[in-house]
Amino acid sequence: GAVVSQHPSWVICKSGTSVKIECRSLDFQATTMFWYRQFPKQSLMLMATSNEGSKATYEQGVEKDKFLINHASLTLSTLTVTSAHPEDSSFYICSAGAGSGNQPQHFGDGTRLSIL
Amino acid sequence: GESVGLHLPTLSVQEGDNSIINCAYSNSASDYFIWYKQESGKGPQFIIDIRSNMDKRQGQRVTVLLNKTVKHLSLQIAATQPGDSAVYFCAETEAGTASKLTFGTGTRLQVTL
C-alpha cells in the first residue's frame, strides 16, 4: 500500500528555534499533501493543504508566517515551525493521497515536537 | 465535526466479542467517509472507506455502515482482538475538496482479556 514517511519522528529544541519537518510519499506521487496538528487525547486538526508547485492553503486561524510550507516536488512537502515557542509543542502529522478526489489519504507516523 | 473536549470516549470490549464504534457527522454535503485506527505515538492507519452511494461495506473483520438520513457512521469489528486496541477516528470529505478531511472526535477501544 501507499507509504508516507515523516522525519524526524521526535524533536526537542529551545524556544525561538525554527524546526523543519519533512513528509515524503515513498511509492507514489502526491500533488497534494496535508498537515495536521494533534494535541493529547484530541482529534486531528487540519492546518494546511500543501500544493505541489504553488502556495499552501491554510485553515482559518493558522498563521502562515508561523508555519511555513514548501511542496517543491511530487514526493516531498516540508513544514517549518518558525521561532517555535512552548505552545507550539504538539504532534504534527502529514498525509498524502495518491490521486485527486475520493481517494483515501495515507498518513505519516507523525512528529512529536517539544519546545523547551 | 470539530474536536472538542480533553477526554476521548472509551469503549471497553472483551476479547472475542464484536465492537461497534459510532460517529455522527454534520456536513450533509460529505460524500466520502473513512475510518482510521491510531495507535499511541503513530499516525492514523486506513481501515475502510465508504462512499455516499452505499450504506454498507465489508472488509476483513470490519464493516462500515452509513446512514445518510441521520448522518451517522459506524464501524463494526468482529471477534475483537487485543491488537485492535487503539483510538478510532471517522473522517469525512465532500466532493471537490481534494480529499480535505474533517475528523471526528475519536473513540478509544480497549480490549480486555
Side-chain angles (χ1 to χ4, degrees), chain A residues 32 34 36 38 40-46 49 59 91 93 99-110 112, chain B residues 3 5-8 31-32 34 36 38 41-44 46 49 51 89 93 95 98-101 103-105 108:
Chain A
T32 304
F34 301 88
Y36 296 82
Q38 186 179 32
K41 297 184 180 181
Q42 293 193 24
S43 188
L44 284 77
M45 296 297 292
L46 179 66
T49 302
E59 295 299 299
F91 193 51
I93 312 173
S100 62
N102 292 343
Q103 296 291 330
Q105 289 181 30
H106 296 274
F107 286 79
D109 267 343
R112 174 77 57 196
Chain B
S3 172
L6 297 177
H7 301 284
L8 291 168
D31 68 347
Y32 179 56
I34 311 170
Y36 286 97
Q38 187 179 28
K42 294 188 176 182
F46 172 82
D49 58 0
R51 302 184 195 283
F89 292 98
T93 186
S99 304
K100 174 178 166 179
L101 292 174
F103 279 79
T105 54
R108 180 177 300 281

